Amino acid sequence: MIKKICLLLTLALVVSCGSSKVRTTPTKITTTKKHTTVKSHSGTTRNNSSSSENSRPSEVLEATSKIKVTTEIVNAYIGKFNETAKENMRNHGIPASITLAQGILESGAGVGTLCIKANNHFGIKCHTGWTGDSVRHDDDAEQECFRKYSDPAESFRDHSLFLTTRSRYAALFKLPKGDYAAWAKGLKSAGYATDPKYPDKLIGLIERYELYKYDSEVLGSGYTKPVIKKDTATVSVETGAGTYRVAQGDTLYSISRKFNLTVDELMKINNLTSNAISIGQVIKVKS
């Protein structure tokens, strides 16, 4: 009997202990948000919340659409096509400097859409009688017909033929082959471009990148670098009030060099959206 009572007490005690709850304290996990950095393709490290980029001299070219290119891109274009331009000068009489300047301006130094997809460096449209390949491209109107070439050299040759076979450009070939300034103005007078600044743009490119040296290489001792005459009404002058009056042949790049500024700084000071400037325009050279 006593054994039974003890057994019952033991069972009661076990049941009582098993029914009690065990309290656990959850572990608190705290996460810390770290500041991250992003590495650019150039290998420089920048903050993910703000970044800065070194400015490089650049300019906006026509190329049947506005295209921003760097000096390096323009120089690469010149290095690639200066021999082609000189060969065309020997064969057709068009200054190599003019051909290169037009190619740079109108192809966006080779990176323009039309140049890439059609090897068309001069924006030549199909015109009546064109039987070669063509592409459609938005220009003055939507989806206009432009000539397509299998090789850039064909585009350069076609550009030369375009000028030599049309009567309205005949007066150009009476000009000295080394006088790029006269050729630039002559192209505008003959109706090659409607942009009133077209001659200044060509001359600016020729002088900035010294394209006249390729004329000299073709003409040899017969070459004389033209003297660019300044319009007396718009001679380059500093006004004495931190401004500068633009003269023929001036570019933002040449002005920036004169006043120890960058092109981007000049554009910012003058609230310019492109590097296009005109003769007689007064621009700030001090902030």
Side-chain angles (χ1 to χ4, degrees):
M1 185 65 179
I2 295 174
K3 290 182 178 180
K4 291 182 178 179
I5 294 172
C6 289
L7 181 59
L8 291 172
L9 290 172
T10 301
L11 291 172
L13 181 61
V14 171
V15 171
S16 174
C17 291
S19 63
S20 64
K21 294 182 179 179
V22 178
R23 180 175 294 176
T24 60
T25 302
T27 301
K28 185 177 182 181
I29 301 174
T30 304
T31 59
T32 302
K33 191 173 184 179
K34 294 184 178 180
H35 202 61
T36 60
T37 59
V38 179
K39 201 163 212 181
S40 67
H41 292 298
S42 62
T44 57
T45 302
R46 56 182 173 84
N47 191 291
N48 69 330
S49 58
S50 63
S51 63
S52 61
E53 187 176 317
N54 292 329
S55 59
R56 303 172 69 184
S58 60
E59 57 186 308
V60 178
L61 302 176
E62 294 300 320
T64 65
S65 60
K66 301 296 183 181
I67 291 180
K68 191 173 184 178
V69 300
T70 62
T71 300
E72 288 83 355
I73 292 174
V74 176
N75 281 326
Y77 183 90
I78 295 167
K80 188 173 183 179
F81 295 111
N82 72 80
E83 290 296 336
T84 304
K86 288 193 293 182
E87 185 64 23
N88 275 269
M89 182 176 181
R90 295 185 187 99
N91 294 335
H92 304 285
I94 301 164
S97 59
I98 287 291
T99 300
L100 284 170
Q102 287 188 287
I104 292 167
L105 185 64
E106 295 166 23
S107 75
V111 299
T113 301
L114 187 61
C115 182
I116 291 174
K117 70 181 183 180
N119 279 318
N120 191 329
H121 287 242
F122 301 93
I124 299 179
K125 298 180 182 180
C126 292
H127 300 293
T128 304
W130 174 251
T131 58
D133 293 337
S134 64
V135 295
R136 294 288 173 176
H137 183 75
D138 291 348
D139 189 36
D140 296 325
E142 292 184 357
Q143 295 298 289
E144 289 189 271
C145 182
F146 284 85
R147 300 183 183 188
K148 181 179 180 180
Y149 307 96
S150 59
D151 186 89
E154 295 178 7
S155 177
F156 277 77
R157 179 176 177 274
D158 204 23
H159 169 261
S160 296
L161 294 176
F162 184 84
L163 295 180
T164 57
T165 59
R166 284 165 170 75
S167 58
R168 64 175 174 168
Y169 299 118
L172 290 172
F173 296 91
K174 298 177 182 178
L175 299 172
K177 290 183 175 61
D179 194 345
Y180 57 82
W183 274 78
K185 295 173 184 177
L187 282 166
K188 173 64 176 64
S189 298
Y192 186 92
T194 57
D195 182 359
K197 299 177 185 177
Y198 191 75
D200 294 331
K201 290 178 180 179
L202 293 183
I203 293 169
L205 287 169
I206 291 169
E207 296 190 337
R208 188 183 323 168
Y209 294 100
E210 299 181 346
L211 303 181
Y212 49 78
K213 66 184 180 183
Y214 302 112
D215 298 340
S216 176
E217 291 174 11
V218 174
L219 296 175
S221 59
Y223 175 76
T224 302
K225 188 177 183 298
V227 176
I228 308 299
K229 296 180 180 179
K230 304 293 183 181
D231 185 341
T232 55
T234 57
V235 174
S236 303
V237 294
E238 296 174 58
T239 66
T243 58
Y244 179 82
R245 189 182 302 278
V246 179
Q248 184 174 348
D250 277 337
T251 63
L252 279 186
Y253 178 75
S254 65
I255 295 171
S256 70
R257 291 287 297 274
K258 181 178 177 69
F259 294 98
N260 295 318
L261 297 168
T262 66
V263 172
D264 288 339
E265 286 172 337
L266 272 180
M267 292 179 68
K268 184 176 180 181
I269 293 171
N270 292 277
N271 296 318
L272 300 175
T273 57
S274 77
N275 68 344
I277 53 177
S278 57
I279 296 174
Q281 179 180 349
V282 176
I283 63 174
K284 297 178 183 177
V285 292
K286 291 182 181 180
S287 56

